[in-house]
Amino acid sequence: MRQNVTRLGPLDRHLVGPFSKSMLKGERNRGEKVARYLALHMRFEIDMVAHSLCEYGGGEEERNELEAYREIHFPALVELKKTTKLPSPAALKAEGLCPLMPEETVLMLAALGFNRQTRIYLAGAHIYGGKSRLASLTTLYPNLVTKESLLSSSEIEPFMNFSSQLAALDFIVCTAADVFAMTDSGSQFSSLVSGFRVYFGGGKMATIRPNKRRLADIFVKNNTIDWRTFEQRVRKAVRQTKRVFSRPVGRSVYRYPRCKECMCNT
């Protein structure tokens, strides 16, 4: 992802230690562009999608497929649906309880100003719907890669049977990124990445943590507003979650490392 850089990223040495120096390719010339990239952690795996009880535009076929998945993997949830009146998919969406779809993620990134030349590293497991579901993302951002597309088969083979090691590869690349964007702030992976960036980056590493409730309200109205207004509303919604907070009582120290128990008082 660094592509023959002549300058290390601010967190590289914290992530790969002395190996970071091996990435350098000589002296940097004045005016030379540094290889920058955005890392995106998209929580849109089938287990996440099925457990959310939301709908994602796939109609009856999608509903049947997700219900069949729940019966096998979430039987308690299926029984709960039979005995309890649960919120409708539309109500869940309005409350920001549904994972962002790839189509919505594209709109968010475009509204934030990331253009077609942006280099994106996509972290995570298999996206529900596969390549067809990712088409909107890969069409607007052709420079999108994953660890599977970056590494040769011989390079990735030693990790393939170890999900935690595959996640560690994603963790290193996401944490070192110039910008890290998540689609679900409740994810443990995203919490660890953003917390590491706060702790070692001093709160200066750009992290996009969208408020899904606010975005849902904007997306519902996106057919009735012009693009400029849409951009302004998305940027405001994201800006409101940009500030680095001190750790609230009882919250994870990994996600909120800014506290006296973790950070130096100075």
Coordinates of all heavy atoms in Angstrom, one line a residue, residues 9 12 33 91 103 111 120 141 149 151 163 171 187 198 200 215 244 247:
G9 N 4.9 6.2 7.6 CA 3.7 6.7 8.2 C 3.9 6.8 9.7 O 4.8 6.2 10.3
D12 N 3.8 3.5 11.6 CA 4.5 2.3 11.1 C 5.4 1.6 12.1 O 5.4 0.4 12.2 CB 5.2 2.6 9.8 CG 4.3 2.9 8.6 OD1 3.1 2.8 8.8 OD2 4.8 3.3 7.5
K33 N 5.2 13.2 -4.3 CA 3.9 12.7 -3.7 C 4.2 11.5 -2.8 O 4.9 10.6 -3.2 CB 2.9 12.5 -4.7 CG 2.4 13.7 -5.4 CD 1.2 13.4 -6.4 CE 0.7 14.6 -7.1 NZ -0.4 14.3 -8.0
A91 N -38.1 0.8 10.9 CA -37.8 1.4 12.2 C -36.4 1.1 12.6 O -35.7 2.0 13.2 CB -38.8 0.8 13.2
E103 N -23.6 0.4 -1.1 CA -24.1 1.5 -1.9 C -24.1 2.8 -1.0 O -23.9 3.9 -1.5 CB -25.5 1.2 -2.4 CG -25.6 0.0 -3.3 CD -25.8 -1.3 -2.6 OE1 -25.5 -1.4 -1.4 OE2 -26.3 -2.3 -3.2
A111 N -19.4 11.9 -0.8 CA -19.9 13.2 -0.2 C -18.7 13.8 0.7 O -18.7 15.0 0.8 CB -21.1 13.0 0.7
I120 N -8.0 2.6 -1.9 CA -8.8 2.1 -0.8 C -8.3 0.6 -0.5 O -8.3 -0.2 -1.4 CB -10.3 2.1 -1.0 CG1 -10.7 3.6 -1.2 CG2 -11.0 1.5 0.1 CD1 -12.2 3.7 -1.5
Y141 N -14.6 3.5 -7.2 CA -13.2 3.5 -6.7 C -12.5 2.3 -7.3 O -12.4 1.2 -6.6 CB -13.3 3.4 -5.2 CG -13.9 4.6 -4.5 CD1 -15.1 4.6 -3.9 CD2 -13.2 5.9 -4.6 CE1 -15.7 5.7 -3.4 CE2 -13.8 7.0 -4.0 CZ -15.0 6.9 -3.4 OH -15.6 8.1 -2.9
S149 N -6.0 -9.6 -2.9 CA -5.6 -9.2 -4.2 C -4.2 -8.6 -4.2 O -3.5 -8.5 -5.2 CB -6.5 -8.1 -4.7 OG -6.6 -6.9 -3.9
L151 N -1.6 -9.7 -2.1 CA -0.6 -10.7 -1.8 C -0.7 -11.9 -2.8 O -1.8 -12.2 -3.3 CB -0.8 -11.3 -0.4 CG -0.7 -10.3 0.8 CD1 -0.9 -11.0 2.1 CD2 0.7 -9.7 0.8
S163 N -7.8 -17.4 11.2 CA -8.6 -16.2 11.0 C -8.1 -15.1 11.8 O -8.2 -13.9 11.4 CB -10.1 -16.5 11.4 OG -10.2 -16.9 12.8
F171 N -5.6 -5.5 10.5 CA -5.4 -4.5 11.6 C -4.2 -3.6 11.3 O -4.2 -2.4 11.5 CB -5.2 -5.3 12.9 CG -4.9 -4.4 14.1 CD1 -5.9 -3.8 14.8 CD2 -3.5 -4.2 14.5 CE1 -5.6 -2.9 15.9 CE2 -3.2 -3.3 15.5 CZ -4.3 -2.7 16.2
S187 N -18.2 -2.4 16.1 CA -17.3 -3.6 15.8 C -16.1 -3.6 16.7 O -15.4 -2.5 16.9 CB -16.9 -3.5 14.4 OG -15.7 -4.2 14.1
V198 N -5.7 6.5 18.3 CA -5.8 7.6 19.3 C -4.5 7.5 20.2 O -3.9 8.6 20.5 CB -7.1 7.5 20.1 CG1 -7.0 8.5 21.3 CG2 -8.3 7.9 19.2
F200 N -1.5 6.0 19.9 CA -0.1 6.3 19.4 C -0.1 7.5 18.4 O 0.9 8.0 18.1 CB 0.4 5.0 18.6 CG 0.8 3.9 19.6 CD1 0.0 2.8 19.7 CD2 1.9 4.0 20.3 CE1 0.3 1.7 20.5 CE2 2.3 3.0 21.2 CZ 1.5 1.8 21.3
L215 N -27.2 9.4 9.3 CA -27.0 9.1 7.9 C -28.3 8.5 7.3 O -28.7 8.7 6.2 CB -25.8 8.1 7.7 CG -24.4 8.7 7.8 CD1 -23.4 7.6 7.5 CD2 -24.2 9.9 6.9
V244 N -12.2 13.4 19.6 CA -11.7 12.3 20.4 C -12.2 12.5 21.8 O -11.9 13.6 22.4 CB -10.2 12.2 20.4 CG1 -9.7 11.2 21.4 CG2 -9.6 12.0 19.0
R247 N -12.6 8.6 28.0 CA -13.3 7.3 28.1 C -14.5 7.5 29.1 O -14.4 7.9 30.2 CB -12.4 6.2 28.7 CG -13.1 4.9 28.9 CD -12.1 3.8 29.3 NE -11.8 3.9 30.7 CZ -12.3 3.2 31.6 NH1 -13.3 2.3 31.3 NH2 -12.0 3.3 32.9

